[in-house]
């Protein structure tokens, strides 16, 4: 009798499990739900992932990691997550082109691990995905490093256009001021030469912008980029 009772209970548990709503929904819908949750809260994503095996499997997909809300984490968060599971999460996000995670990884490689070219490559890849902070730091690097190529200079000017069009120059200055005033305060952001000068043949302000100049009437993107790089280098590379 006891064995029969246990067998009946097992069948009932299986029946209930099969009738649970998550098990009735198509995997595509569950994936969409997980992606939406990931894009709003990393904590809620982890809670969903821990709730059952089905959700753990659904959450473990590239599209979920690509849209995870990594941007709420500090850019220097890798310094705090070293050796922890959170680092594995961030690396997985970066691997599937989560631009905010790529920014964190690129900054860590460049300024913490000393992998200059690898770090710049990751940062510019994040910039190409239109991450504004990645665009800004890529401009500072591409237009000031000693072994820059013409293609990198061109990309630097393009990235600065993205930052300006997003009206984010001031915000990016504040973001990286906090970054370099904190955990990386003793690590120089680059080993720079003079920043690239304006190359426009029709520019009327080329070579005439000083550190205290009024930029309100300056329309040349290349001159503005040069000014911003000089300001950045003057702040962090003295």
């Amino acid at each position: 009798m006891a064995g029969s009772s246990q067998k009946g209970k097992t069948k009932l548990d299986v029946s209930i499990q099969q009738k649970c709503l998550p098990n009735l929904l198509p995997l595509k819908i569950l994936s969409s739900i997980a992606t939406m949750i990931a894009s709003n809260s990393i904590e809620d994503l982890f809670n969903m992932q821990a709730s059952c095996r089905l959700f753990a499997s659904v959450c473990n997909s590239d599209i979920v990691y690509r849209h995870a809300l990594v941007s709420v984490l500090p850019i220097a968060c890798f310094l705090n997550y070293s050796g922890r599971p959170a680092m594995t999460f961030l690396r997985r996000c970066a691997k599937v082109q989560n631009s905010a995670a790529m920014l964190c990884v690129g900054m860590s490689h460049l300024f913490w691990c000393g992998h200059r070219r690898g770090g710049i490559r990751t940062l510019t890849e994040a910039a190409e995905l239109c991450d504004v902070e990645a665009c800004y730091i890529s401009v500072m690097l591409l237009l000031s490093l000693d072994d820059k190529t013409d293609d990198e200079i061109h990309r630097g000017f393009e990235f600065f256009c993205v930052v300006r069009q997003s009206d984010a120059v001031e915000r990016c200055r504040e973001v990286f001021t906090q970054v370099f005033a904190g955990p990386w305060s003793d690590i120089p952001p680059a080993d720079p030469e003079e920043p690239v000068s304006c190359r426009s043949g029709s520019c009327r302000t080329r070579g005439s912008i000083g550190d205290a100049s009024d930029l309100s009437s300056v329309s040349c993107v290349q001159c503005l980029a040069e000014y911003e790089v000089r300001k950045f280098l003057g702040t962090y590379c003295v």
Side-chain angles (χ1 to χ4, degrees):
M1 287 292 292
S4 177
S5 175
Q6 182 64 35
K7 186 176 180 180
K9 182 179 179 181
T10 301
K11 287 183 178 180
L12 179 61
D13 289 343
V14 171
S15 176
I16 292 174
Q17 184 179 14
Q18 289 176 341
K19 292 180 180 179
C20 285
L21 181 59
N23 292 295
L24 299 176
L25 292 174
L27 188 60
K28 185 176 181 179
I29 293 179
L30 290 175
S31 180
S32 296
I33 293 172
T35 302
M36 181 179 65
I37 290 173
S39 65
N40 284 279
S41 170
I42 295 176
E43 184 178 355
D44 288 346
L45 171 65
F46 291 160
N47 289 336
M48 179 181 181
Q49 198 170 24
S51 62
C52 70
R53 290 182 180 179
L54 174 61
F55 283 166
S57 177
V58 169
C59 293
N60 189 33
S61 64
D62 287 353
I63 191 170
V64 172
Y65 283 94
R66 188 178 304 128
H67 289 88
L69 190 62
V70 177
S71 59
V72 298
L73 300 176
I75 291 174
C77 62
F78 259 73
L79 301 179
N80 299 322
Y81 294 156
S82 179
R84 299 182 183 181
M87 181 177 287
T88 302
F89 168 77
L90 287 170
R91 284 177 174 160
R92 172 72 185 275
C93 289
K95 186 177 180 180
V96 296
Q97 295 192 314
N98 181 311
S99 62
M102 292 169 71
L103 174 61
C104 294
V105 171
M107 291 288 287
S108 176
H109 285 174
L110 181 63
F111 299 128
W112 189 248
C113 301
H115 301 156
R116 189 183 68 164
R117 275 297 169 186
I120 292 175
R121 182 171 59 251
T122 301
L123 289 171
T124 54
E125 287 173 355
E128 287 167 356
L129 295 172
C130 296
D131 184 283
V132 176
E133 285 84 5
C135 284
Y136 182 88
I137 193 64
S138 293
V139 173
M140 303 303 110
L141 295 168
L142 293 176
L143 298 186
S144 66
L145 294 179
D146 56 358
D147 54 353
K148 50 190 170 287
T149 64
D150 287 343
D151 178 64
E152 288 172 331
I153 292 169
H154 177 71
R155 292 169 74 197
F157 287 137
E158 286 187 337
F159 292 149
F160 191 69
C161 286
V162 173
V163 179
R164 286 195 70 224
Q165 289 168 2
S166 302
D167 196 24
V169 174
E170 290 288 344
R171 177 169 64 81
C172 288
R173 281 181 195 162
E174 293 175 3
V175 167
F176 286 100
T177 294
Q178 293 176 7
V179 168
F180 291 116
W184 282 321
S185 59
D186 296 327
I187 304 173
D191 183 15
E193 287 192 346
E194 283 294 301
V196 173
S197 299
C198 173
R199 296 182 168 191
S200 174
S202 59
C203 175
R204 297 181 178 180
T205 54
R206 183 171 56 180
S208 64
I209 301 178
D211 292 341
S213 296
D214 179 8
L215 304 180
S216 59
S217 61
V218 179
S219 59
C220 176
V221 172
Q222 294 188 18
C223 282
L224 291 170
E226 177 189 352
Y227 171 84
E228 192 64 29
V229 174
R230 288 184 184 279
K231 188 177 183 70
F232 178 86
L233 297 180
T235 302
Y236 305 117
C237 300
V238 294

